[in-house]
């Protein structure tokens, strides 16, 4: 049982790292300075950062030791979440990006029609 759980955890972390890499690429394309660094080929940890402007920075760390979301403004920590709460906050960020992309696509489509 424990070996199965360990394997599932490793797979979860790898999936999370891949999604962080994709989110960083999308944010960069949207004009936000973003990065996602991993150590080695195992994809068992990552450091994701994005600047939302006005000295507003989000850092998301994932590793075998844990998951944290830290939000800072003007070099002051506003919020620090761990585990499932951190992932929920990351999901909210991804949803905002999706909504932004959908609204941009809709306006571009309208602009093409007219």
């Amino acid at each position: 049982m424990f070996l199965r759980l360990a394997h599932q955890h490793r797979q979860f972390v790898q999936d999370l790292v891949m999604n962080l890499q994709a989110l960083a690429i999308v944010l960069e394309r949207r004009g936000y300075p973003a990065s996602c660094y991993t150590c080695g080929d195992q994809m068992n940890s990552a450091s994701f950062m994005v600047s939302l402007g006005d000295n507003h920075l989000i850092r998301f760390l994932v590793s075998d030791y844990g998951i944290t979301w830290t939000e800072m403004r003007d070099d002051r920590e506003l919020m620090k979440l761990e585990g499932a709460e951190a992932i929920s906050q990351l999901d909210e960020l991804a949803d905002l990006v999706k909504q932004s992309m959908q609204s941009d696509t809709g306006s571009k489509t309208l602009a093409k029609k007219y």
Side-chain angles (χ1 to χ4, degrees):
M1 175 179 79
F2 294 111
L3 290 176
R4 179 181 54 80
L5 290 173
H7 176 73
Q8 288 175 341
H9 179 74
R10 275 191 229 85
Q11 189 63 49
F12 167 76
V13 169
Q14 289 173 351
D15 290 348
L16 187 54
V17 170
M18 284 191 295
N19 283 294
L20 287 171
Q21 290 174 326
L23 182 59
I25 290 167
V26 169
L27 286 166
E28 276 282 327
R29 290 181 181 162
R30 307 284 300 155
Y32 295 98
S35 63
C36 183
Y37 297 101
T38 61
C39 297
D41 296 335
Q42 300 297 318
M43 296 189 49
N44 57 7
S45 65
S47 172
F48 168 87
M49 294 181 82
V50 61
S51 174
L52 300 177
D54 297 327
N55 293 319
H56 189 188
L57 180 69
I58 293 171
R59 181 178 62 215
F60 188 89
L61 303 172
V62 60
S63 73
D64 283 341
Y65 301 110
I67 297 167
T68 60
W69 164 285
T70 307
E71 191 167 346
M72 296 174 289
R73 189 179 294 264
D74 297 322
D75 295 326
R76 291 185 157 175
E77 191 174 292
L78 298 175
M79 176 173 33
K80 185 170 188 169
L81 303 171
E82 296 180 350
E85 290 177 331
I87 294 170
S88 292
Q89 198 68 30
L90 183 65
D91 192 50
E92 286 185 32
L93 175 64
D95 285 346
L96 287 173
V97 171
K98 287 178 197 174
Q99 290 172 1
S100 171
M101 291 174 73
Q102 288 172 350
S103 67
D104 286 353
T105 303
S107 64
K108 287 179 185 173
T109 304
L110 289 176
K112 287 180 185 177
K113 287 182 180 179
Y114 296 106

